[in-house]
Amino acid sequence: MGSGSQIHYKQNRLKQLRAFCHAARTGSVSAAAEKIFLSQPTVSLQIQALEREFSTVLFERRGPKIKLTPEGDLLFQMAEPLVEGMDKLHEAFATQCGRVDRGVLNIAAGESTILYILPDPVRAFVDQYPGIELKMHNVTGRDGLAMLRADEVDLAVGSMLDVPDDITYRPFVTYQPTLITPKDHPLAGKESVTLEEIAPYGLILPPRHLSTWRMVDLVFKQHNLAYRVTLEAGGWEVIKKYVELGLGISIVTDVCLTGDENLSRIPLSQYFPKRSYGIVQRRGKFLSPQTKCFMKTLDRAFADRIVEPQPQNVGDVEEWEDAYLG
């Protein structure tokens, strides 16, 4: 085989692997074809060529949907970083030459993360890399994970209680569970309180379907205590305001407390798990230069904070962040 045909063969292999990886990720030949601007028959032929080359079956075909075989999964794990590396070679080369001055960075995060955790790192990042277009996607946990899996975002930032197999989670900061009360409340000013002392007072909690409510319910039930909810409200800012107005007390994560509130705060770490926030990514994802720079910015911003592991037995919580409260 001459050198020209070898080069042509390698170019074809990259195209075949790119088509294969998109089909594996989307579970559909037609969706893969749409993503890489090819016809469906072309993508099918490229996958078939790979199957012939490796003498194996890469997909189980079930109607319009396809699923990786064990051999297909192995090739996908090996090929995906190679394909992404080739596709982003230009950006990576520019970075190695010391120029991370352009490109786009897409980040998914819930409202609380955007409000309380990301402002300082984002400001530092924008100041240092003004040429990079930063796109923040304010999404719920499930939507954030779906965007990661579809490669619509480079990374997500949030709080994960349960990490799926295809996702990696690296926490960089931990926050404490805290009771907040009005300044003139009978519990205000105490260094510590028991659940028995909290139980008689009406609680303001986020909507019932979110993990904060389930956590409170679980802990009170574990201690055989009844509790009552006087108000259901979405969003930490709303909850803090209603507690200040004397409409109840609440259990929050102290990420939302700036110190400027007219509230009394008492730690509850002896009852409720601490909550870490971290970087969430698709396992095997090629890290773009912009992503690496943002991760370094996050690590610098929280370098003085201790990261503590979270217990994993806190109930069946699927979100990496509450829709409102994080």
Side-chain angles (χ1 to χ4, degrees):
M1 189 183 284
S3 61
S5 58
Q6 281 183 339
I7 290 169
H8 180 67
Y9 173 70
K10 285 177 180 174
Q11 286 174 340
N12 275 344
R13 178 186 277 176
L14 177 58
K15 289 175 184 173
Q16 291 162 1
L17 288 173
R18 185 183 288 119
F20 163 69
C21 285
H22 278 283
R25 201 177 296 135
T26 58
S28 161
V29 171
S30 57
E34 200 174 306
K35 282 254 184 190
I36 53 180
F37 307 106
L38 292 174
S39 70
Q40 189 171 333
T42 301
V43 171
S44 294
L45 286 170
Q46 288 174 332
I47 293 169
Q48 286 165 21
L50 276 180
E51 290 183 319
R52 280 197 306 274
E53 183 186 343
F54 289 100
S55 303
T56 190
V57 177
L58 298 173
F59 289 108
E60 296 174 28
R61 289 161 179 84
R62 298 174 181 168
K65 279 289 176 187
I66 54 175
K67 186 185 175 194
L68 285 169
T69 61
E71 293 80 11
D73 189 49
L74 177 61
L75 183 62
F76 181 53
Q77 289 176 39
M78 296 172 71
E80 190 176 34
L82 300 175
V83 171
E84 290 203 33
M86 287 298 291
D87 288 346
K88 297 190 176 176
L89 182 62
H90 188 274
E91 286 178 14
F93 180 74
T95 307
Q96 292 302 318
C97 293
R99 298 192 344 263
V100 189
D101 54 5
R102 61 178 180 273
V104 180
L105 179 63
N106 283 277
I107 299 171
E111 187 170 291
S112 62
T113 303
I114 292 171
L115 277 176
Y116 306 114
I117 291 176
L118 290 181
D120 287 343
V122 165
R123 188 187 300 118
F125 183 80
V126 169
D127 287 347
Q128 190 171 357
Y129 306 105
I132 295 176
E133 185 184 352
L134 189 61
K135 294 184 179 179
M136 304 284 293
H137 302 265
N138 183 352
V139 293
T140 63
R142 285 188 183 87
D143 288 345
L145 287 177
M147 292 182 84
L148 278 177
R149 288 174 172 134
D151 269 346
E152 292 168 359
V153 293
D154 296 287
L155 75 158
V157 182
S159 181
M160 289 201 82
L161 295 171
D162 183 32
V163 185
D165 290 342
D166 63 333
I167 296 295
T168 64
Y169 176 59
R170 180 172 68 79
F172 56 78
V173 65
T174 305
Y175 291 96
Q176 313 284 335
T178 303
L179 179 74
I180 54 173
T181 74
K183 285 282 182 72
D184 59 355
H185 193 272
L187 297 179
K190 285 177 169 281
E191 282 189 20
S192 63
V193 291
T194 63
L195 284 182
E196 286 81 2
E197 290 175 297
I198 296 170
Y201 299 103
L203 292 171
I204 301 174
L205 290 182
R208 188 181 293 265
H209 66 279
L210 301 180
S211 65
T212 301
W213 185 308
R214 295 206 289 278
M215 190 80 70
V216 169
D217 183 66
L218 178 70
V219 171
F220 273 90
K221 279 180 178 168
Q222 283 174 340
H223 289 80
N224 297 314
L225 285 170
Y227 65 96
R228 58 192 182 92
V229 176
T230 54
L231 188 63
E232 195 175 311
W236 268 330
E237 291 303 312
V238 175
I239 286 176
K240 288 192 297 184
K241 176 59 69 179
Y242 281 16
V243 173
E244 284 179 338
L245 292 172
L247 298 177
I249 62 178
S250 189
I251 297 163
V252 301
T253 305
D254 70 354
V255 61
C256 72
L257 302 175
T258 63
D260 298 326
E261 299 90 358
N262 188 29
L263 294 168
S264 180
R265 49 199 283 184
I266 306 159
L268 288 176
S269 297
Q270 73 271 37
Y271 294 115
F272 295 91
K274 294 171 182 174
R275 189 155 201 177
S276 70
Y277 285 76
I279 295 163
V280 187
Q281 290 177 297
R282 179 172 56 73
R283 191 176 293 281
K285 167 81 173 170
F286 176 84
L287 299 185
S288 72
Q290 293 82 2
T291 304
K292 287 179 181 175
C293 290
F294 188 77
M295 288 166 68
K296 285 178 185 171
T297 304
L298 274 177
D299 286 336
R300 280 197 299 270
F302 294 96
D304 59 340
R305 297 292 297 253
I306 297 170
V307 180
E308 300 176 34
Q310 295 187 134
Q312 295 302 305
N313 59 344
V314 287
D316 180 24
V317 180
E318 295 177 6
E319 304 94 333
W320 54 262
E321 180 172 271
D322 282 345
Y324 299 102
L325 292 182

